[in-house]
């Protein structure tokens, strides 16, 4: 056999090995996840890590609950303002029933994070 023939055979063998070693990764196969959120009672939710980012992305935006929006809307920025909305504006019920945000497009795990954090007495953590 000539050198180019051996090189071609080696390249084909390498390609075959690489193709056999590839597969589509997904969370369920790799980590046993089934796409569900954690059980509400099994996880501690944190305002700064789990809740505040949801409010910043979905609520505290122009035209809704950002600072200075007016229209009687509570600014949902920071723990104090969010806590006040829970106490005075029935925020928990509104999130639970899906009337907040009005678009109703909170991801299920984000909604669960907010509701569970409120149920954990909405600590400033």
């Amino acid at each position: 056999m000539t050198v180019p023939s051996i090189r071609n055979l080696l390249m084909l063998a390498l390609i075959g090995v690489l193709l056999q070693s590839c597969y589509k990764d997904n969370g369920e196969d790799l980590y046993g996840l089934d796409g569900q959120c954690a059980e509400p009672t099994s996880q501690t939710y944190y305002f700064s890590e789990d809740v505040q980012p949801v409010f910043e992305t979905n609520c505290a935006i122009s035209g809704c609950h950002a600072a200075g929006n007016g229209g009687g809307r509570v600014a949902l920025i920071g723990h104090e303002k969010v806590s006040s909305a829970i106490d005075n504006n029935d925020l928990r019920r509104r999130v639970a029933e899906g009337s907040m945000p009005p678009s109703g497009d909170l991801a299920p795990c984000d909604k669960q994070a907010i509701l569970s954090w409120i149920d954990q007495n909405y600590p400033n953590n």
Side-chain angles (χ1 to χ4, degrees):
M1 251 194 225
T2 65
V3 174
S5 305
I6 294 173
R7 188 177 312 148
N8 290 342
L9 286 174
L10 289 174
M11 289 297 284
L12 286 173
L14 179 62
I15 290 171
V17 168
L18 290 174
L19 289 175
Q20 290 295 322
S21 66
C22 296
Y23 69 98
K24 183 175 178 157
D25 293 342
N26 66 51
E28 187 174 353
D29 289 342
L30 294 174
Y31 308 110
L33 303 175
D34 60 2
Q36 300 297 312
C37 305
E39 289 294 322
T41 57
S42 69
Q43 179 176 346
T44 299
Y45 289 91
Y46 295 91
F47 178 74
S48 60
E49 294 174 23
D50 303 309
V51 177
Q52 184 175 358
V54 177
F55 282 114
E56 287 175 353
T57 302
N58 298 284
C59 309
I61 56 176
S62 179
C64 281
H65 294 280
N69 268 340
R73 293 186 176 131
V74 175
L76 295 176
I77 300 171
H79 185 269
E80 185 178 327
K81 298 282 189 182
V82 173
S83 296
S84 177
I86 295 166
D87 294 335
N88 301 317
N89 299 95
D90 206 10
L91 181 64
R92 189 196 191 292
R93 178 188 56 79
R94 292 174 182 215
V95 170
E97 71 185 14
S99 64
M100 292 304 253
S103 62
D105 61 358
L106 279 181
C109 291
D110 288 344
K111 183 175 183 177
Q112 178 178 303
I114 292 170
L115 297 176
S116 295
W117 172 76
I118 293 171
D119 293 344
Q120 294 168 0
N121 296 314
Y122 41 99
N124 188 6
N125 48 12

